[in-house]
Amino acid sequence: MASEVLAKPQMRGLLARRLRIHMVGAFLVSLGVAALYKFAVAEPRKRAYADFYKNYSPEKDFEEMKKAGIFRSIK
Amino acid sequence: MLSRAAWILMLRKGGRGRREMHSPEAPARGEGKMPPYANWYAQRSYPMPEEPFCTELSAEQQALKEKEKGSWTQLSHAEKVALYRLQYHQTFAEMNRRSNEWKTVMGCVFFFCGFTALLIWWQRVYVYPPKPITLTDEWKAQQLQRMLDMKVNPVHGLASHWDYEKKEWKK
């Protein structure tokens, strides 16, 4: 009925090809997401905490809070 | 009165007008089953109906069905199409065609969301009790000052955004 013949489509190995593509893709995506999380979230957070506690003095903090008057047992 | 007559007219036209000329059955009781409950109804998820679409065949259609019992290479293109149309109500392209129903659906959804908003507004004005003391502005300011004095979340949170020397928010 058609005037020209279509090319024969791929008949075999479809699932194998899909699995191969998706295995590789899933591996790369999960590695990428993990790396992104580590360098965009985890490392800055660790650095922020380290910076905060580098020059932190709990006594000074306590004196400031006492002066602000939030404690009920100590004036 | 007028709308009732129009409604009846629409129902009658819709019932009979949707059927093709080759109606598969002439039921004694009124209309018979409408799609999708008719036996010839097919859809993309149920493509092989139980009954052929046309069961009352004219003489030439019966002759065509006899010819179908022989070798199909002897059928012309028009005959094959005619046989398809006898067997099935619509082609896949016809049954899967798009429609504008989504516009109606979305319109009704938005309309009723808006109506609900009016109801909630009325409820807010006429039903809600007065706000508690803890939501007044001076109470909220005192609460915030106490949180800053306690140095709540000093690494990443509230107190980390407050400059304790200059007594203002960090830029």
Side-chain angles (χ1 to χ4, degrees):
Chain A
M1 275 188 280
S3 55
E4 80 270 353
V5 188
L6 296 169
K8 184 171 179 179
Q10 177 76 3
M11 303 290 270
R12 292 166 181 269
L14 295 164
L15 180 64
R17 189 181 69 160
R18 178 197 162 84
L19 282 180
R20 191 167 44 239
I21 291 174
H22 284 75
M23 284 289 210
V24 171
F27 189 72
L28 291 177
V29 165
S30 49
L31 272 188
V33 168
L36 197 65
Y37 184 84
K38 181 178 166 69
F39 291 113
V41 177
E43 286 302 317
R45 189 176 288 169
K46 285 195 273 190
R47 210 168 338 115
Y49 273 80
D51 290 342
F52 178 78
Y53 283 110
K54 197 166 27 173
N55 298 322
Y56 178 70
S57 151
E59 291 83 15
K60 174 156 116 35
D61 213 34
F62 172 69
E63 289 303 321
E64 284 175 4
M65 286 196 215
K66 189 163 82 159
K67 195 147 57 83
I70 58 166
F71 295 122
R72 292 210 284 203
S73 49
I74 301 181
K75 284 296 175 207
Chain B
M1 194 72 67
L2 192 65
S3 59
R4 188 177 155 81
W7 181 241
I8 290 173
L9 196 67
M10 195 175 84
L11 269 181
R12 190 163 297 149
K13 184 162 173 281
R16 214 58 199 163
R18 267 208 296 272
R19 295 265 182 88
E20 309 293 326
M21 283 195 318
H22 304 279
S23 170
E25 57 220 358
R29 57 172 207 292
E31 293 290 339
K33 290 190 190 175
M34 304 280 284
Y37 304 107
N39 281 335
W40 44 262
Y41 182 74
Q43 56 195 17
R44 192 161 159 242
S45 57
Y46 195 82
M48 305 303 287
E50 293 91 16
E51 301 280 334
F53 180 55
C54 296
T55 46
E56 306 155 351
L57 302 176
S58 71
E60 56 175 277
Q61 287 170 335
Q62 276 176 343
L64 191 56
K65 288 302 249 186
E66 291 299 319
K67 193 174 173 192
E68 193 194 11
K69 293 177 184 173
S71 170
W72 288 343
T73 52
Q74 289 165 354
L75 294 169
S76 73
H77 179 69
E79 283 170 338
K80 289 178 192 171
V81 170
L83 282 169
Y84 185 95
R85 287 292 175 184
L86 287 179
Q87 185 75 13
Y88 299 109
H89 175 222
Q90 285 174 324
T91 68
F92 274 81
E94 286 163 7
M95 77 167 75
N96 292 335
R97 71 187 179 280
R98 313 176 284 198
S99 74
N100 285 329
E101 187 188 2
W102 70 273
K103 298 177 191 172
T104 311
V105 170
M106 293 309 285
C108 291
V109 165
F110 292 144
F111 175 77
F112 282 108
C113 281
F115 182 65
T116 306
L118 288 175
L119 292 179
I120 292 174
W121 185 10
W122 179 89
Q123 187 183 23
R124 166 68 185 81
V125 169
Y126 287 104
V127 178
Y128 277 24
K131 269 205 272 196
I133 186 173
T134 51
L135 286 177
T136 58
D137 280 332
E138 37 307 338
W139 191 286
K140 288 204 287 191
Q142 287 172 352
Q143 187 171 4
L144 179 59
Q145 180 60 51
R146 189 174 140 81
M147 285 168 76
L148 290 173
D149 291 337
M150 287 195 286
K151 304 206 178 174
V152 167
N153 293 331
V155 182
H156 274 308
L158 185 69
S160 71
H161 296 304
W162 179 256
D163 191 340
Y164 281 91
E165 275 88 42
K166 290 198 224 130
K167 300 259 194 292
E168 61 186 6
W169 293 110
K170 287 184 188 166
K171 295 294 179 292

